[in-house]
Amino acid sequence: MLVDTVKGMYINGEWVQAESGSMLEVFNPATREKITEIPSGGKKEADEAIRSANAAFESWSELTARERSNYLYKAYHLMLERKEKLASILTEEQGKPLKEARGEIEFAASFLLWYAEEANRVYGEMIPSSKKNKRLWVVPKPIGVVAAITPWNFPAAMITRKVGPALAAGCPVVLKPAEQTPLSAIEIVKIFEEVGLPKGVLNLVVGDPVEIGKEIMDSSDVRLVTFTGSTEVGKLLMEGSAQTVKKLALELGGHAPLLVFEDADLDLAVDQAIASKYRNCGQTCICTNRLYVHSDVKDQFLEKLEAKVRELRIGNGSDETVDIGPLIDDSGLNKVKDQVEDAVSKGAELMTGGKQWDGPGGYFFEPTILANVTDDMKIMSQETFGPVVPIQTFDRDEEAIAAANNTNYGLASFLFTNNLNRAIKVMEKLDYGIIGINDVFPGTAEAPFGGIKESGLGKEGGHEGIKEYLEMKYVSLAVSDKL
Ligand code: NAP
């Protein structure tokens, strides 16, 4: 076992057990075997974590930006030193292949580096006044205690993408990771403990999401909730935030379309469509959920796609040769089965895959391609979060754009074309927060990531990312004419 089981929740610089004695079992989705169990908290632990963060706020925010950034630099280096161990833990509790887990740890660390740097670039503003006797300026201030609620699909990167900018801005954090993947969170908190982060600045609470969530939402001390997860829970948090008028940053679900135009480099489009659809077993918020291909190149595209998808190796992610690991749990598996059954019953053509795969006993589903899909099938409107790609054709650009935009989601979209003019015109008409042109990997620490419509509010990454954690204090000073 890679994980130190006595570590549980981390509050005010101490590792603590749950007062109730409750334990949370953590399973390996590739085998359904129990990995370990850890203390599972609720209202009391959430309350203590918020108090501890609140007590740490003043001293943490009064450090110089350079002092705060130094902790982040050290954490960045330690995270990279631990890459192999962190990646193995991630694969064990989440299921993604080791090569992807290593990539996620590097991605996660990149947010610590980026925000170590951005900490030193939080600038204010002087405003030229319309009155001679006034001097006006804007001073950025840390917003206060931040609650960070994270999902299981990127158990490391979704934490550092929040904790990095929060700490850089001067905000203490109460972190609540997903119940399926608390072990990566524990390891990340241990890194911050080892670099000497002052007590109370980063707190970890694991356990009952409803109890912990309510304590966070009801607290007047928590000024920002930064959440990555489903649109459904994001909406609940929006409702909950009203009583204390707290700010929300929401990274929610997606339903990404990928458009392949007739002038696209088809080999590139096929390789990238596979990377976009099947990485993390399709459990990525920006995974291609719908694929639209121009009818002139449909047969060619499908032939190449099918041949390559058939080559993908499914299995336990700890095997270095595996391309696709398991889904996270039974409900993830059932959702995928349901969408495939629904599509096939309504006339979709199953080109490959379509079945559960038992393998080492986990929640596996074969990489699947569905052709001749119609809009009434569930898969065309529900987020799939699984290794299934539904394909439709189009003849005109306007048709493809309308189909792509026909959703309440607005996270990411992708298009493949070698026509620069078309790339620009289509990009301008796509209603998405993120657009990849001949590129399905837009996520990077230096760029703003985030959705529009029901995919969320706010940005993570880039210089925009730290702004979520700041309030702008406006100052007006009256001066006299006398020297
Ligand atoms: P989820 O069910 O919404 O859970 C996300 C987090 O919220 C977990 O920590 C969960 O805790 C917690 N939670 C659940 N109910 C809560 C409540 N009532 N109050 C407070 N917290 C609550 O989402 P998920 O299944 O873990 O993640 C998959 C979703 O995340 C997908 O929709 C995906 O698109 C989205 N996502 C979006 C982005 C993005 O950048 N836009 C990135 C990654 C993932 P428990 O685990 O304890 O239930």
Side-chain angles (χ1 to χ4, degrees):
M1 178 163 351
L2 292 155
V3 178
D4 179 352
T5 47
V6 297
K7 306 269 182 208
M9 286 166 284
Y10 187 70
I11 299 175
N12 204 25
E14 304 283 338
W15 291 97
V16 298
Q17 307 297 309
E19 192 194 53
S20 66
S22 293
M23 299 298 278
L24 174 70
E25 296 181 315
V26 186
F27 293 91
N28 182 336
T31 59
R32 305 191 195 206
E33 284 165 5
K34 187 165 110 178
I35 304 171
T36 186
E37 52 182 36
I38 59 165
S40 172
K43 180 177 164 45
K44 177 165 184 296
E45 287 76 16
D47 174 55
E48 283 175 0
I50 294 167
R51 282 173 198 273
S52 133
N54 203 35
F57 178 44
E58 191 171 323
S59 54
W60 180 248
S61 62
E62 285 177 356
L63 291 184
T64 64
R66 175 60 66 195
E67 285 170 323
R68 288 197 300 269
S69 102
N70 282 341
Y71 288 107
L72 288 167
Y73 276 119
K74 285 184 195 155
Y76 160 72
H77 288 296
L78 198 47
M79 191 167 217
L80 287 186
E81 265 173 43
R82 304 242 166 108
K83 184 168 88 175
E84 279 306 310
K85 181 181 179 195
L86 291 169
S88 301
I89 291 172
L90 206 164
T91 293
E92 203 179 359
E93 67 174 349
Q94 200 273 345
K96 68 179 64 176
L98 259 179
K99 53 192 168 193
E100 285 186 31
R102 290 188 190 105
E104 180 177 341
I105 299 304
E106 286 169 15
F107 184 51
S110 74
F111 288 100
L112 301 181
L113 176 63
W114 176 257
Y115 285 106
E117 293 162 342
E118 283 300 289
N120 299 295
R121 299 184 199 124
V122 174
Y123 303 126
E125 204 177 7
M126 295 292 300
I127 302 170
S129 172
S130 58
K131 306 211 170 45
K132 280 204 167 144
N133 68 334
K134 291 282 191 90
R135 302 292 180 269
L136 314 178
W137 67 96
V138 179
V139 189
K141 302 296 287 175
I143 194 166
V145 172
V146 168
I149 304 177
T150 55
W152 49 263
N153 65 339
F154 285 87
M158 296 304 101
I159 291 177
T160 55
R161 201 160 78 165
K162 298 178 186 307
V163 170
L167 299 189
C171 302
V173 177
V174 174
L175 169 64
K176 198 222 86 63
E179 283 172 284
Q180 290 98 330
T181 55
L183 305 181
S184 297
I186 290 173
E187 293 302 310
I188 291 172
V189 171
K190 277 162 64 182
I191 286 176
F192 280 102
E193 182 187 28
E194 282 178 49
V195 303
L197 197 73
K199 64 179 192 175
V201 174
L202 178 59
N203 304 275
L204 172 70
V205 186
V206 181
D208 185 328
V210 175
E211 259 190 45
I212 295 170
K214 182 162 176 8
E215 202 62 23
I216 287 171
M217 298 321 288
D218 288 351
S219 165
S220 306
D221 291 331
V222 175
R223 296 318 310 153
L224 168 72
V225 175
T226 170
F227 169 80
T228 298
S230 60
T231 294
E232 190 188 355
V233 174
K235 287 180 180 178
L236 288 177
L237 298 180
M238 283 190 93
E239 283 173 21
S241 68
Q243 280 312 311
T244 53
V245 193
K246 58 171 82 1
K247 187 174 166 188
L248 291 172
L250 302 175
E251 294 289 344
L252 308 178
H255 205 266
L258 185 151
L259 314 180
V260 181
F261 291 90
E262 69 276 22
D263 53 30
D265 174 338
L266 286 192
D267 291 317
L268 175 76
V270 164
D271 287 345
Q272 292 256 308
I274 289 172
S276 169
K277 179 66 257 185
Y278 300 106
R279 87 176 154 122
N280 201 10
C281 195
Q283 303 168 113
T284 300
C285 54
I286 63 167
C287 266
T288 295
N289 216 111
R290 297 167 284 150
L291 203 152
Y292 299 94
V293 56
H294 193 278
S295 51
D296 286 357
V297 291
K298 177 198 161 198
D299 291 344
Q300 240 183 313
F301 179 86
L302 279 184
E303 194 182 319
K304 287 172 187 275
L305 183 73
E306 186 184 338
K308 289 212 164 174
V309 169
R310 284 180 184 276
E311 282 171 15
L312 294 173
R313 275 211 66 207
I314 184 168
N316 189 328
S318 61
D319 174 345
E320 295 277 1
T321 64
V322 156
D323 302 302
I324 298 194
L327 290 149
I328 191 70
D329 56 20
D330 245 337
S331 85
L333 182 62
N334 288 336
K335 184 176 185 192
V336 172
K337 278 193 211 161
D338 176 56
Q339 288 192 4
V340 171
E341 278 163 23
D342 170 74
V344 171
S345 74
K346 290 174 181 160
E349 180 194 347
L350 189 60
M351 296 191 61
T352 184
K355 294 191 304 297
Q356 185 173 343
W357 181 76
D358 289 330
Y363 307 104
F364 294 96
F365 197 85
E366 295 172 344
T368 300
I369 303 175
L370 294 171
N372 300 331
V373 168
T374 48
D375 285 346
D376 59 330
M377 299 173 185
K378 289 181 189 173
I379 198 162
M380 294 307 282
S381 55
Q382 291 178 2
E383 191 179 32
T384 303
F385 250 51
V388 185
V389 64
I391 299 178
Q392 285 192 356
T393 55
F394 65 90
D395 292 309
R396 293 176 306 109
D397 290 14
E398 294 74 12
E399 202 188 323
I401 293 163
N405 287 340
N406 184 21
T407 170
N408 290 336
Y409 291 109
L411 186 56
S413 58
F414 309 103
L415 61 130
F416 284 80
T417 174
N418 277 337
N419 177 331
L420 179 61
N421 196 57
R422 169 179 268 161
I424 293 171
K425 298 300 276 185
V426 174
M427 176 275 289
E428 287 173 352
K429 289 191 185 313
L430 286 173
D431 294 335
Y432 287 85
I434 301 161
I435 295 174
I437 303 174
N438 297 331
D439 177 20
V440 296
F441 294 108
T444 179
E446 62 273 20
F449 187 102
I452 60 173
K453 293 158 72 177
E454 293 189 20
S455 288
L457 299 171
K459 301 290 175 196
E460 293 194 324
H463 64 86
E464 291 86 350
I466 200 165
K467 291 188 179 143
E468 304 293 336
Y469 301 84
L470 298 167
E471 305 247 52
M472 293 299 153
K473 195 179 267 187
Y474 160 57
V475 184
S476 170
L477 173 76
V479 291
S480 85
D481 285 343
K482 292 181 198 149
L483 242 188

